[in-house]
C-alpha cells in the first residue's frame, strides 16, 4: 500500500503544473514545498505596501488558441487568470549607444522593422527568418517523432538537416552566417541575452525559441505573478490535491514498486510515482538513493553546468513613472553593440564599476490596478546578471545572517545598478521609498537554484535537448523530472514540462490525462 499515487517535490511552475495534471487525471497527489510559500519564481513577496515579482516579467503565446493559452486551458485555468497585453508596437525596448529598437507584436512586422533600420542587410534578414522557419517546423515535428527511438530520430534528422546543423553551433555562428552588421547582430541577440548567455555561447535552438514565444505579443498577468500562481493553487485545492509547505525533502528511496520520500522533519511518505521540480543536479545527485541512479545518469549530472545568477534591485518610488516616459515596455540596456563583450564584463569575478547590461521593468505600470504599490507610487525592478563567484565566500552562511561585509558589498552593487537606471528614470536614487537587493545566494536559498542559476542548467548547444533531461526521465521507472532542467528555462517551458511529465506519470498509474491541444 502507498500513501499517495504520486508525490510532487517542489512547487515552481513545473511542479504546480505536474501536480495539477495528475490531480485532474484523478490521481491522489501530495505536493511538498521546502519554503513557507508555494510558487518558486512565481511566488511574489511583500514589503511595506509594495508587492514585487521575483521571476515573472512577461509571457508570450497567450492569445486564445495559441500554444501557451492551450496549455493553460488543458490545466483548466485559462479562464481563471486574466492577462494584460503589453504595447503591441513595442513591448521590449533594446537600448544601445545612440540607437533603440522596439520589438513589436507580429513576426512580419518585426521583419519589416529590421529591414527599415538595416536596408542594406535585407538579404541577411530574410536568411535569418528562413532558418527560423526551418527550426520552428523541426521543433514541432520533434514532439511527435523523437519518442520512437533511434530509427525515428535518424529519420527526423534526415528530414530536418537545418536542425542537425544548427543544434550543434552557438548562436553567434548563425548571426555570422546572415550578417556582418554588428548593430543588427546586437538587435538579434538582445532578448535578455538569450537566457543569460552571450551569443558566442548560447544555443541557436533556445535563441530562436525565445523569438518565437513573443512574436505573437507579450502579456502580463493581472495581479502579478501571485495571481498566476494562485490560479494553480486554487485549482489544486478544488481537485483535492494535498499540499504541504515547510516540508523540505532530504531523501528519495525506493522499495520494490514504491518510492519513499523523507522530509527534513522526519516525515515519510510513499508513492508509486515521484515528480521532482528540483534541479536534476540536486534530485539525482543528492536526494535520490545513489544505488538506484544509473551510472550514466550520475556521469551526466556531474557534467551539467548551471546558468548564470542575477542581481536584483526591488524598488518602491514616489516618482510618476509614466510622466518620465516609463511605459509597460521592458527596457533592455546595453553599453556596447558587442554583446559578447558586454557579457564578458558582466561575468567578471569582480563586479565592474559600470553596469554594462541591465533590465528595467515596472509591474505597477504594466498593471496599474493590480495592487503592486500604494496610490501615486510605483514599483521598479532592476536586474543584471552577475557571477556567483562574487558571492561564493558567503555561500555557507545562513540567509539574512551573512554579516556586514556582505550587506555593504550588496549595497555597493545595488547603488551602481540604481544609478545606471537613472538615465531612464531621473532622480530614482533620491525618490526611493523602499529598496531591497537580492543576489545569486538569494536564488540558491529561496528556490534551491544550483549556484544561484536563474534558468537551471545553462542553455548552451551541448546542454539543450539530449544534453538536458528533456525526456523527463532518468532511467528510473516511476521517477519524472520537470522544470528548467528539462525542456529549458523560462516559465512556459517549465509549465509544459509539468503537463507532459504529469501526463506520463498518469499513464503509468493507469489514468487518462487530458492531452495538450
Amino acid at each position: 500500500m502507498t500513501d499517495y499515487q504520486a508525490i510532487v517535490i517542489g512547487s515552481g511552475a513545473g511542479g504546480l503544473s505536474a501536480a495539477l495534471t495528475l490531480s485532474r487525471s484523478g490521481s491522489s497527489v501530495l505536493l511538498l514545498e521546502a519554503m513557507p510559500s508555494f510558487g518558486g519564481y512565481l511566488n511574489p513577496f511583500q514589503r511595506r505596501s509594495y508587492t514585487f515579482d521575483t521571476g515573472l516579467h512577461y509571457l508570450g503565446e497567450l492569445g486564445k488558441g495559441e500554444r501557451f493559452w492551450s496549455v493553460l486551458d488543458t490545466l483548466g485555468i485559462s479562464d481563471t487568470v486574466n492577462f494584460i497585453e503589453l504595447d503591441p508596437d513595442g513591448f521590449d525596448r533594446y537600448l544601445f549607444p545612440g540607437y533603440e529598437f522596439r520589438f513589436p507584436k507580429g513576426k512580419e512586422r518585426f521583419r519589416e522593422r529590421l529591414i527599415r533600420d538595416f536596408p542594406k542587410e535585407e538579404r541577411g534578414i530574410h536568411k535569418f527568418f528562413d532558418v527560423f522557419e526551418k527550426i520552428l517546423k523541426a521543433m514541432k515535428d520533434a514532439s511527435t517523432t523523437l519518442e520512437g527511438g533511434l530509427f525515428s530520430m535518424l529519420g527526423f534528422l534526415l528530414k530536418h538537416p537545418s536542425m542537425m546543423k544548427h543544434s550543434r553551433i552557438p548562436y553567434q555562428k548563425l548571426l555570422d552566417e546572415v550578417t556582418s552588421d554588428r548593430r543588427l547582430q546586437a538587435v538579434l541577440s538582445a532578448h535578455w541575452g538569450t537566457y543569460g548567455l552571450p551569443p558566442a555561447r548560447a544555443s541557436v535552438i533556445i535563441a530562436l525559441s525565445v523569438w518565437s514565444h513573443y512574436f505573437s505579443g507579450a502579456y502580463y498577468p493581472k495581479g502579478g505573478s501571485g495571481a498566476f500562481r494562485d490560479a494553480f493553487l486554487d485549482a489544486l485545492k478544488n481537485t483535492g490535491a494535498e499540499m504541504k509547505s515547510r516540508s523540505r525533502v532530504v531523501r528519495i528511496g525506493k522499495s520494490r514498486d514504491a518510492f519513499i520520500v523523507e522530509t527534513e522533519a522526519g516525515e515519510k511518505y510513499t508513492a508509486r510515482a515521484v515528480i521532482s521540480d528540483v534541479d536534476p543536479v540536486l534530485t539525482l545527485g543528492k536526494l535520490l538513493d545513489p544505488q538506484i541512479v544509473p551510472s550514466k545518469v550520475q556521469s551526466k549530472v556531474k557534467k551539467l553546468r548551471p546558468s548564470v545568477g542575477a542581481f536584483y534591485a526591488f524598488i518602491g518610488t514616489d516618482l510618476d513613472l509614466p510622466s518620465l516616459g516609463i511605459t509597460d515596455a521592458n527596457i533592455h540596456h546595453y553599453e556596447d553593440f558587442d554583446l559578447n563583450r558586454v557579457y564578458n564584463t558582466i561575468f567578471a569575478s569582480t563586479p565592474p564599476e559600470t553596469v554594462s547590461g541591465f533590465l528595467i521593468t515596472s509591474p505597477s505600470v504594466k498593471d496599474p490596478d493590480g495592487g503592486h504599490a500604494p496610490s501615486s507610487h510605483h514599483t521598479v525592478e532592476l536586474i543584471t546578471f552577475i557571477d556567483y563567484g562574487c558571492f561564493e565566500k558567503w555561500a555557507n552562511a545562513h540567509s539574512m545572517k551573512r554579516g556586514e561585509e556582505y550587506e555593504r558589498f550588496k549595497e555597493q552593487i545595488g547603488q551602481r545598478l540604481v544609478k545606471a537606471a537613472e538615465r531612464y528614470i531621473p532622480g530614482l536614487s533620491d525618490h526611493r521609498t523602499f529598496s531591497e537587493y537580492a543576489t545569486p545566494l538569494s536564488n540558491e536559498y529561496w528556490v534551491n537554484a544550483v549556484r544561484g542559476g536563474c534558468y537551471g542548467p545553462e542553455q548552451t548547444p551541448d546542454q539543450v535537448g539530449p544534453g538536458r533531461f528533456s525526456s523527463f526521465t532518468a532511467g528510473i521507472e516511476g521517477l519524472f523530472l520537470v522544470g528548467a532542467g528539462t525542456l529549458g528555462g523560462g516559465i512556459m517551458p517549465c509549465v509544459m514540462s509539468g503537463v507532459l511529465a504529469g501526463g506520463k506519470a498518469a499513464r503509468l498509474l493507469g489514468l487518462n490525462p487530458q492531452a495538450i491541444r
Side-chain angles (χ1 to χ4, degrees):
M1 295 292 291
T2 57
D3 295 316
Y4 300 90
Q5 287 177 293
I7 294 174
V8 178
I9 303 169
S11 66
L16 289 173
S17 56
L20 187 51
T21 299
L22 281 161
S23 62
R24 281 171 57 83
S25 301
S27 171
S28 60
V29 178
L30 172 65
L31 174 63
L32 298 173
E33 168 57 48
M35 290 287 113
S37 299
F38 297 99
Y41 282 123
L42 296 180
N43 180 34
F45 70 93
Q46 293 182 323
R47 295 290 187 271
R48 300 180 188 172
S49 299
Y50 299 99
T51 301
F52 298 96
D53 297 321
T54 55
L56 190 160
H57 307 300
Y58 55 157
L59 302 165
E61 299 182 82
L62 279 169
K64 189 168 184 177
E66 292 182 328
R67 188 167 56 152
F68 197 19
W69 181 91
S70 295
V71 173
L72 299 183
D73 193 48
T74 297
L75 291 167
I77 60 173
S78 60
D79 295 329
T80 59
V81 57
N82 297 315
F83 291 96
I84 301 165
E85 183 171 6
L86 306 184
D87 186 359
D89 190 51
F91 51 82
D92 267 335
R93 298 174 60 194
Y94 303 140
L95 281 300
F96 303 94
Y99 174 69
E100 175 178 349
F101 184 88
R102 298 197 178 206
F103 184 0
K105 176 180 180 178
K107 181 176 60 179
E108 290 310 313
R109 195 174 179 192
F110 179 81
R111 187 202 304 246
E112 291 166 4
R113 195 165 286 187
L114 287 175
I115 294 171
R116 178 201 67 191
D117 285 9
F118 305 96
K120 294 181 180 179
E121 300 300 316
E122 182 173 358
R123 187 174 181 180
I125 292 168
H126 288 311
K127 184 176 180 180
F128 175 84
F129 279 93
D130 181 56
V131 173
F132 170 83
E133 295 294 348
K134 289 177 180 176
I135 295 293
L136 195 65
K137 185 178 187 306
M139 290 174 65
K140 289 179 179 178
D141 287 353
S143 62
T144 58
T145 59
L146 295 187
E147 294 286 342
L150 178 61
F151 288 107
S152 180
M153 182 177 290
L154 290 173
F156 167 80
L157 293 174
L158 289 172
K159 183 180 177 182
H160 299 286
S162 184
M163 176 67 92
M164 180 185 292
K165 173 185 177 182
H166 291 102
S167 64
R168 300 175 179 178
I169 64 173
Y171 189 46
Q172 184 63 53
K173 287 195 174 183
L174 171 59
L175 296 176
D176 291 337
E177 284 179 19
V178 301
T179 181
S180 60
D181 189 304
R182 68 189 187 99
R183 296 200 310 160
L184 176 56
Q185 287 194 356
V187 171
L188 293 174
S189 307
H191 198 87
W192 204 210
T194 312
Y195 287 146
L197 284 170
R201 299 190 61 232
S203 160
V204 170
I205 307 304
I206 297 300
L208 297 184
S209 296
V210 172
W211 287 121
S212 175
H213 184 55
Y214 290 103
F215 275 149
S216 58
Y219 299 81
Y220 181 78
K222 190 169 181 58
S225 62
F228 189 59
R229 183 270 316 268
D230 290 347
F232 284 92
L233 296 181
D234 291 343
L236 282 166
K237 291 174 186 174
N238 292 336
T239 53
E242 188 174 346
M243 298 178 283
K244 293 187 178 184
S245 60
R246 302 180 190 271
S247 298
R248 183 180 297 277
V249 171
V250 294
R251 183 179 180 276
I252 306 170
K254 195 172 187 183
S255 177
R256 296 185 179 179
D257 293 332
F259 287 94
I260 304 166
V261 177
E262 185 174 349
T263 70
E264 195 172 46
E267 299 168 316
K268 292 183 179 180
Y269 306 97
T270 59
R272 283 186 58 199
V274 168
I275 297 183
S276 178
D277 193 20
V278 181
D279 190 287
V281 169
L282 301 177
T283 298
L284 300 168
K286 293 188 176 182
L287 297 183
L288 267 163
D289 180 347
Q291 294 184 354
I292 61 175
V293 182
S295 57
K296 286 185 178 180
V297 172
Q298 293 179 6
S299 298
K300 182 175 181 177
V301 165
K302 290 176 182 178
K303 294 176 183 177
L304 283 177
R305 303 178 304 277
S307 53
V308 67
F311 187 97
Y312 308 80
F314 300 101
I315 297 169
T317 180
D318 58 9
L319 288 170
D320 181 1
L321 296 185
S323 72
L324 296 174
I326 300 299
T327 68
D328 61 11
N330 305 287
I331 294 174
H332 303 248
H333 172 87
Y334 297 100
E335 288 286 303
D336 197 315
F337 285 101
D338 186 344
L339 265 59
N340 291 307
R341 185 182 301 165
V342 168
Y343 274 83
N344 285 338
T345 302
I346 290 174
F347 295 161
S349 56
T350 302
E353 292 293 326
T354 301
V355 183
S356 55
F358 57 87
L359 174 77
I360 301 176
T361 184
S362 173
S364 61
V365 173
K366 293 175 182 174
D367 180 21
D369 302 318
H372 303 276
S375 178
S376 302
H377 286 236
H378 282 284
T379 55
V380 178
E381 297 176 9
L382 311 176
I383 308 168
T384 186
F385 293 124
I386 198 164
D387 186 74
Y388 178 85
C390 297
F391 304 92
E392 193 162 10
K393 70 178 185 177
W394 296 289
N396 293 324
H398 194 276
S399 177
M400 313 297 285
K401 296 180 180 179
R402 296 192 176 107
E404 292 185 6
E405 184 186 7
Y406 172 77
E407 294 300 328
R408 284 196 303 271
F409 185 53
K410 190 167 67 167
E411 180 71 22
Q412 182 185 55
I413 299 171
Q415 293 284 9
R416 290 176 190 169
L417 182 55
V418 173
K419 196 68 179 175
E422 287 194 304
R423 69 187 71 198
Y424 305 106
I425 311 177
L428 182 60
S429 295
D430 296 330
H431 283 269
R432 286 180 289 170
T433 51
F434 170 83
S435 60
E436 184 171 312
Y437 306 124
T439 73
L441 299 185
S442 308
N443 284 351
E444 190 172 48
Y445 176 76
W446 288 104
V447 297
N448 226 355
V450 175
R451 293 183 66 83
C454 299
Y455 306 110
E458 65 175 1
Q459 296 174 106
T460 50
D462 65 322
Q463 291 197 162
V464 168
R468 295 174 103 74
F469 289 92
S470 53
S471 64
F472 316 113
T473 63
I476 303 167
E477 186 176 0
L479 175 73
F480 303 89
L481 304 174
V482 297
T486 57
L487 295 180
I491 291 170
M492 183 178 126
C494 289
V495 170
M496 287 192 69
S497 75
V499 173
L500 294 169
K504 288 190 174 189
R507 286 187 285 275
L508 174 76
L509 297 169
L511 305 172
N512 186 26
Q514 184 177 353
I516 298 175
R517 291 196 295 275

